[in-house]
Amino acid sequence: MRVLIAGANGKIGRRLVKLLGDSDHVCRAMVRDPSQEWELRQLGADEVVVADLEGDCRAALITCDAVVFTAGSGAHTGPEKTVDVDQNGAINLIDLAQEMGVPRFVIVSSMRADDPDSGPESMRHYFVAKQKADNHLRASHLNYTIVRPGRLTEEEGTGKVRLAERIDAFGEIPRQDVAAVIRAVLDHPGSSKREFDLISGDTAIDQAVTSLE
């Protein structure tokens, strides 16, 4: 597959670029800043396209078989930027993927996005933005997977996770393991039209993803 990564220069995106670069897939990294191209190619990107999630991204989607949305406004931006990127940027890319005939869409959401009121007040705008993007993807005709990780860490990945449609206890997970789960769901047709919470656990990633089938 030719896989477009939106948010390729982010903390999950860069790890996913490396994983896909080591696979049989064609990794197309999408960035806003052309100066990031060289480093992403060094990480493993086969192709780099410059596009803005808040604008017309049609050119970035040409000949793609799948999209991974792992872009985010970042922890240090205000609610308005979260709406612009995590919500409206995702919705824009979902609509363009449908228009361009890209069949597969994987989105990195968040635990508590299905119930924003369950999280702390300071994060409510983030969960609501993720929820609206997820709802838009569910309503599309795309073969989607919604990945809802817990608190993201910079720890080394363990290769083992806990994955379920709903996990009541909020947990954490290394970004490396989130990237590895995304890599796995792209190869498992049974993950289509599925969504799940994701934290560190005791099950090998391939086994956990295969259990969705």
Side-chain angles (χ1 to χ4, degrees), residues 20-211:
L20 290 182
D22 293 334
S23 75
D24 294 331
H25 299 304
V26 176
C27 175
R28 178 180 289 177
M30 177 175 154
V31 296
R32 285 191 301 175
D33 184 351
S35 69
Q36 297 165 348
E37 177 174 354
W38 184 87
E39 190 173 359
L40 287 170
R41 286 192 180 276
Q42 294 303 303
L43 282 173
D46 300 290
E47 303 168 355
V48 178
V49 293
V50 179
D52 189 341
L53 278 171
E54 299 172 54
D56 188 343
C57 303
R58 287 177 179 84
L61 291 162
I62 293 172
T63 71
C64 283
D65 303 293
V67 174
V68 175
F69 184 94
T70 184
S73 58
H76 303 296
T77 60
E80 296 82 5
K81 197 62 179 175
T82 300
V83 171
D84 288 343
V85 177
D86 298 76
Q87 177 182 310
N88 295 339
I91 289 171
N92 180 46
L93 198 58
I94 291 164
D95 289 344
L96 291 176
Q98 291 190 100
E99 180 184 325
M100 298 292 291
V102 181
R104 190 82 167 90
F105 202 107
V106 179
I107 192 168
V108 178
S109 180
S110 173
M111 289 183 72
R112 293 179 172 152
D114 57 343
D115 184 13
D117 291 338
S118 67
E121 179 65 33
S122 61
M123 292 291 291
R124 198 71 48 83
H125 67 283
Y126 174 77
F127 298 133
V128 168
K130 290 294 189 184
Q131 181 187 56
K132 290 182 178 179
D134 294 350
N135 286 342
H136 196 78
L137 183 56
R138 291 185 190 100
S140 74
H141 64 245
L142 298 169
N143 293 323
Y144 66 82
T145 305
I146 299 172
V147 181
R148 296 190 298 261
R151 189 177 71 82
L152 300 168
T153 75
E154 293 294 308
E155 303 296 325
E156 287 294 322
T158 66
K160 294 185 177 182
V161 298
R162 181 183 175 194
L163 179 160
E165 186 171 331
R166 180 66 183 259
I167 299 173
D168 290 331
F170 195 82
E172 61 183 31
I173 184 168
R175 288 179 172 88
Q176 181 64 37
D177 284 336
V178 177
V181 167
I182 297 168
R183 164 74 177 83
V185 302
L186 288 168
D187 286 334
H188 286 282
S191 65
S192 179
K193 301 286 187 179
R194 303 299 295 270
E195 54 189 274
F196 51 83
D197 290 348
L198 178 66
I199 58 175
S200 293
D202 300 318
T203 305
I205 286 172
D206 281 342
Q207 181 182 347
V209 172
T210 301
S211 71

